[in-house]
Amino acid sequence: MEEFRRSYSRLCRESGAEPQEAVLQQLHQLPRGRLDLATQSLTVETCRALGKLLPRETLCTELVLSDCMLSEEGATLLLRGLCANTVLRFLDLKGNNLRAAGAEALGKLLQQNKSIQSLTLEWNSLGTWDDAFATFCGGLAANGALQRLDLRNNQISHKGAEELALALKGNTTLQQLDLRWNNVGLLGGRALMNCLPSNRTLWRLDLAGNNIPGDVLRAVVQMGFHHVGQAGLEPLTSEQAMGHSQDRLTTFQENQARTHVLSKEVQHLREEKSKQFLDLMETIDKQREEMAKSSRASAARVGQLQEALNERHSIINALKAKLQMTEAALALSEQKAQDLGELLATAEQEQLSLSQRQAKELKLEQQEAAERESKLLRDLSAANEKNLLLQNQVDELERKFRCQQEQLFQTRQEMTSMSAELKMRAIQAEERLDMEKRRCRQSLEDSESLRIKEVEHMTRHLEESEKAMQERVQRLEAARLSLEEELSRVKAAALSERGQAEEELIKAKSQARLEEQQRLAHLEDKLRLLAQARDEAQGACLQQKQVVAEAQTRVSQLGLQVEGLRRRLEELQQELSLKDQERVAEVSRVRVELQEQNGRLQAELAAQEALREKAAALERQLKVMASDHREALLDRESENASLREKLRLREAEIARIRDEEAQRASFLQNAVLAYVQASPVRTLSPPK
């Protein structure tokens, strides 16, 4: 035992815990072959150390651990260590309140250990959990060494008795089984009675205090005596009856001692529950602090969003600068187109002599051009109708910006029409310039004066249009600033609402739940309305994109048609001189119409881009607001759910402890009543 004591001290120190002095004293005083730690409150570290030492111990044949207040973990560690022991014969675990984990560990012990012959499990709670007790009974059925088993006061129900009966049918070594002071009942008694014929080794079965009817007990007794007769034993004598009465007295005294231990355990549990309640209050305070931190973090997020909005303003300013640069480039291209147009006019004057021969073909071409122009006009009218529908939808969504959009639309129409006309002129002039350079050198000097006049006229017109555009852009910028102010007010209102919601949540949980549900429904309605508005805007944008795509295809078709006309004009350059004046009038008219059409298309594109940008900005704002509200709501719901779960667990634990204490009190009362009823005065009198 001295070596065992030193090993125990070493293992405790290795695990970072001090060895228990009471255990060391018991190890020093115990006789050889017997380890008695009864009534010692063993810690988990001590159980872990004993679990490591007992498999290698070859001298200990008796282990007494009664009334040691073992925890579930400590009992599991001890029993796991005893599975590999081969010398232990007697094991006493009385009064340790073993439950589900202990029952499963005992089942594994009975399956693996081949040396234990006597096992005492009195005053535990093995029968409370049916699945765990079924595991214990499975280990008993597979055991081949156990001869005596004490299961008194283990809260075994009729289901546990049925599992125990199945185990007894498969066990071939058990001789004594004590099931007194349980709750076997009628069904359990019948199950045990039915298993007795299948078992040939059991000769003693105690069933007192189990609420079993008298006829079932008499049948069990008759079967037991018959079975004893087969084993070659005699019925009980008077001396044995006196011994039984003395056993009852000792059990009564033991019951009183155990009630005292249980009262201490109940007091200990109450202290633990009070500590747990204080811990719960601390966790609630911590959660409140975390909620305050989350509110501060949300304020920081709002600041970040404001910074992002400022960055977007700077991007818009950069885009305005780029727009001005593109307008200057368009002015330069218009000047070049005017020069090329003048060159084209001189070339057309030289071709008057050639145009007489191809008058008929020119008329046919003019008819084709008229048909194409009529088609283009029809297409443009359809596009205008679609644009009117889209504009109506936009007016419903943005009534405040109607005047500004119309002004911007008109200004951009003028600019786009002029740019499109100049582009068409440039394309035609460049194509004809390559072939007519040699013929037009002499006429350049005559046309220089005319070109200067036209350039001055166009520059004045462009300056006036630029001034009008700048004024309209300023108006739009003022409208944008007003919208940003409205957005900031909406954000401030949302922040104030969230602060009110958090204060109401701290005041009362029930009121906070109702208000959060109402606010969530209101926000969902708002989000639904905003999503509908966004879908409508997206639909309008898609329709406008389709119109733009159709316009682009038409422009490409027009480009192809212009290419064919250019090739045809190259073949007919010598025959176009006679009809030049009429053709110039026709071309000017067509040019004006094309400029108007291109201006309308450009205005539509600009309006679509503005609508797209506004829709994107609204979507980003909605996503940010929805994500913030969703995160806040999820945090609150998770916190409430965790608190409710903790409260539910505490209430369940308290209710379970109360039920257990009530059951133990009822069991003690039943035991005392049964003991008083079963021990008459004549059994206590000495024999004559």
Side-chain angles (χ1 to χ4, degrees):
M1 283 296 174
E2 186 64 27
E3 184 179 357
F4 189 87
R5 184 169 175 270
R6 287 195 299 270
S7 299
Y8 165 71
S9 301
R10 178 177 53 79
L11 289 174
C12 288
R13 291 190 181 92
E14 287 178 358
S15 62
E18 291 294 328
Q20 293 182 254
E21 293 295 332
V23 176
L24 291 175
Q25 292 177 2
Q26 292 293 330
L27 291 174
H28 183 69
Q29 297 174 0
L30 289 177
R32 187 177 183 85
R34 176 181 173 86
L35 178 58
D36 189 355
L37 298 176
T39 67
Q40 303 294 331
S41 296
L42 302 182
T43 62
V44 176
E45 288 77 12
T46 298
C47 294
R48 184 180 289 108
L50 292 176
K52 293 179 180 178
L53 292 173
L54 288 173
R56 301 190 298 268
E57 179 63 31
T58 59
L59 299 176
C60 182
T61 59
E62 294 184 12
L63 179 59
V64 181
L65 298 173
S66 60
D67 299 324
C68 288
M69 302 292 290
L70 295 178
S71 62
E72 293 286 329
E73 184 180 359
T76 303
L77 293 172
L78 265 174
L79 296 173
R80 191 181 301 166
L82 290 174
C83 290
N85 189 285
T86 58
V87 297
L88 189 65
R89 297 290 183 268
F90 178 82
L91 177 61
D92 187 355
L93 293 172
K94 180 172 59 175
N96 283 291
N97 196 22
L98 298 178
R99 300 183 183 180
E104 293 177 355
L106 285 169
K108 294 179 181 178
L109 173 66
L110 292 176
Q111 285 182 352
Q112 299 178 12
N113 189 278
K114 305 299 180 182
S115 62
I116 296 177
Q117 297 179 358
S118 177
L119 178 60
T120 301
L121 298 173
E122 183 183 359
W123 282 102
N124 287 291
S125 301
L126 301 178
T128 306
W129 287 269
D130 296 334
D131 295 336
F133 192 70
T135 304
F136 170 77
C137 293
L140 179 61
N143 185 270
L146 191 65
Q147 297 179 2
R148 181 182 176 277
L149 177 60
D150 189 352
L151 291 174
R152 287 178 290 176
N153 292 295
N154 269 278
Q155 304 181 19
I156 300 173
S157 62
H158 63 91
K159 293 182 180 179
E162 292 173 356
E163 295 290 338
L164 196 58
L166 293 175
L168 290 176
K169 289 181 180 180
N171 186 278
T172 58
T173 58
L174 190 64
Q175 298 179 4
Q176 300 181 32
L177 177 60
D178 196 344
L179 291 175
R180 288 178 290 179
W181 318 120
N182 287 292
N183 193 18
V184 172
L186 174 61
L187 298 177
R190 288 181 178 176
L192 291 171
M193 180 182 67
N194 294 329
C195 79
L196 289 177
S198 301
N199 188 288
R200 297 298 178 181
T201 57
L202 187 67
W203 59 269
R204 180 172 180 176
L205 177 62
D206 294 329
L207 296 173
N210 276 283
N211 297 323
I212 300 175
D215 55 348
V216 177
L217 283 176
R218 286 191 295 272
V220 170
V221 170
Q222 291 176 1
M223 294 177 68
F225 274 110
H226 179 68
H227 196 55
V228 169
Q230 289 180 356
L233 298 174
E234 296 295 333
L236 295 175
T237 61
S238 61
E239 295 178 355
Q240 291 176 350
M242 289 294 296
H244 285 306
S245 63
Q246 292 177 359
D247 290 337
R248 290 175 182 174
L249 289 173
T250 54
T251 53
F252 180 71
Q253 294 174 357
E254 289 175 356
N255 290 335
Q256 289 181 347
R258 288 193 184 95
T259 52
H260 182 67
V261 173
L262 288 173
S263 63
K264 289 182 179 180
E265 184 179 358
V266 169
Q267 186 177 1
H268 180 66
L269 289 173
R270 288 177 180 173
E271 292 176 355
E272 288 182 353
K273 294 303 175 184
S274 63
K275 291 180 181 178
Q276 291 175 359
F277 181 73
L278 293 174
D279 295 337
L280 179 61
M281 295 301 294
E282 291 177 358
T283 54
I284 291 170
D285 294 335
K286 291 180 181 178
Q287 289 175 358
R288 289 178 179 173
E289 293 177 358
E290 291 177 356
M291 289 169 64
K293 291 180 181 178
S294 64
S295 64
R296 290 193 293 271
S298 62
R301 288 180 185 173
V302 172
Q304 293 176 358
L305 291 174
Q306 189 65 34
E307 292 177 358
L309 186 60
N310 295 329
E311 291 178 357
R312 288 172 187 167
H313 291 326
S314 63
I315 292 168
I316 290 169
N317 294 327
L319 291 174
K320 288 180 181 177
K322 290 182 180 178
L323 180 61
Q324 293 176 359
M325 293 173 66
T326 53
E327 288 175 353
L330 285 173
L332 294 174
S333 64
E334 286 174 357
Q335 290 179 1
K336 292 180 181 178
Q338 288 178 0
D339 295 336
L340 293 174
E342 292 174 357
L343 294 173
L344 181 61
T346 56
E348 288 172 353
Q349 289 177 1
E350 292 177 356
Q351 294 175 357
L352 290 173
S353 61
L354 298 174
S355 62
Q356 292 178 358
R357 297 177 185 178
Q358 302 294 334
K360 294 180 181 180
E361 294 180 359
L362 181 61
K363 289 180 180 179
L364 294 173
E365 291 176 358
Q366 287 176 355
Q367 290 177 359
E368 291 177 357
E371 291 177 357
R372 290 171 183 171
E373 288 174 358
S374 63
K375 288 181 181 179
L376 289 172
L377 289 171
R378 288 194 297 271
D379 293 336
L380 287 172
S381 64
N384 288 327
E385 291 176 357
K386 291 181 180 178
N387 288 326
L388 289 172
L389 293 173
L390 293 172
Q391 190 65 32
N392 291 327
Q393 293 178 358
V394 171
D395 290 336
E396 291 177 358
L397 294 173
E398 299 179 354
R399 296 176 182 176
K400 295 182 181 180
F401 307 103
R402 189 176 295 170
C403 296
Q404 292 83 349
Q405 287 179 354
E406 289 176 356
Q407 292 175 0
L408 182 61
F409 181 71
Q410 292 174 1
T411 54
R412 290 189 179 177
Q413 273 186 350
E414 294 175 358
M415 291 195 65
T416 51
S417 62
M418 292 172 66
S419 64
E421 180 182 0
L422 292 172
K423 287 180 182 178
M424 294 293 294
R425 286 182 182 177
I427 293 168
Q428 293 176 0
E430 285 176 358
E431 291 175 353
R432 293 176 183 174
L433 181 61
D434 295 332
M435 299 178 65
E436 300 296 333
K437 280 183 181 180
R438 295 176 183 178
R439 297 179 184 179
C440 298
R441 289 177 183 175
Q442 294 179 359
S443 61
L444 287 173
E445 294 176 356
D446 298 330
S447 62
E448 185 67 22
S449 60
L450 295 172
R451 184 183 63 79
I452 291 169
K453 292 179 181 179
E454 290 180 357
V455 166
E456 290 176 353
H457 177 69
M458 291 300 292
T459 52
R460 286 194 299 272
H461 184 67
L462 286 172
E463 287 175 356
E464 292 176 357
S465 63
E466 284 179 358
K467 289 179 181 179
M469 283 291 292
Q470 288 177 358
E471 292 177 357
R472 288 168 184 169
V473 167
Q474 289 176 359
R475 293 192 196 98
L476 291 173
E477 185 67 22
R480 184 180 62 78
L481 291 173
S482 64
L483 285 174
E484 288 177 355
E485 290 176 357
E486 290 180 1
L487 180 60
S488 63
R489 286 196 295 271
V490 171
K491 286 183 178 179
L495 289 172
S496 62
E497 287 178 0
R498 193 204 288 174
Q500 291 176 1
E502 290 177 353
E503 290 176 359
E504 291 174 355
L505 179 62
I506 293 171
K507 289 180 180 178
K509 292 182 180 178
S510 60
Q511 293 179 359
R513 290 174 190 162
L514 295 174
E515 290 176 359
E516 284 176 359
Q517 290 176 359
Q518 293 175 359
R519 190 176 293 109
L520 180 59
H522 183 62
L523 290 173
E524 287 177 352
D525 293 335
K526 285 185 179 179
L527 290 173
R528 194 179 300 107
L529 293 174
L530 291 172
Q532 291 176 359
R534 184 192 63 189
D535 294 336
E536 292 175 359
Q538 287 179 353
C541 291
L542 290 174
Q543 291 178 0
Q544 291 177 359
K545 286 181 181 177
Q546 292 176 357
V547 172
V548 170
E550 291 175 359
Q552 289 178 354
T553 55
R554 288 170 188 166
V555 169
S556 63
Q557 291 176 0
L558 288 172
L560 295 174
Q561 292 175 3
V562 169
E563 184 68 18
L565 290 171
R566 185 181 63 79
R567 294 175 182 175
R568 192 69 177 275
L569 287 171
E570 289 176 356
E571 296 174 356
L572 301 174
Q573 284 176 358
Q574 297 176 1
E575 298 176 0
L576 294 174
S577 60
L578 296 175
K579 298 293 181 179
D580 185 56
Q581 294 178 355
E582 296 178 358
R583 190 180 63 77
V584 169
E586 295 278 337
V587 168
S588 63
R589 183 177 59 80
V590 171
R591 193 174 290 164
V592 170
E593 292 176 355
L594 289 174
Q595 286 178 358
E596 292 176 356
Q597 293 172 3
N598 289 325
R600 291 171 184 172
L601 291 174
Q602 191 68 22
E604 291 173 1
L605 288 172
Q608 289 174 4
E609 289 177 356
L611 288 172
R612 194 180 297 112
E613 290 176 357
K614 290 178 181 178
L618 288 172
E619 286 178 358
R620 288 192 295 270
Q621 292 174 3
L622 285 173
K623 286 180 181 177
V624 171
M625 292 174 68
S627 62
D628 292 338
H629 286 292
R630 194 178 295 109
E631 289 176 357
L633 290 173
L634 289 174
D635 293 337
R636 300 301 178 273
E637 288 293 331
S638 62
E639 291 173 359
N640 291 332
S642 63
L643 290 173
R644 286 195 297 270
E645 185 65 20
K646 288 180 180 179
L647 289 173
R648 187 183 63 78
L649 292 174
R650 297 297 182 273
E651 290 174 357
E653 185 70 19
I654 291 169
R656 185 177 60 78
I657 291 171
R658 289 176 179 173
D659 294 337
E660 289 178 359
E661 295 302 325
Q663 289 179 1
R664 288 180 182 175
S666 63
F667 290 154
L668 287 172
Q669 186 176 2
N670 293 332
V672 171
L673 291 173
Y675 175 76
V676 172
Q677 292 175 1
S679 59
V681 179
R682 59 183 180 83
T683 58
L684 296 176
S685 60
K688 295 181 180 181

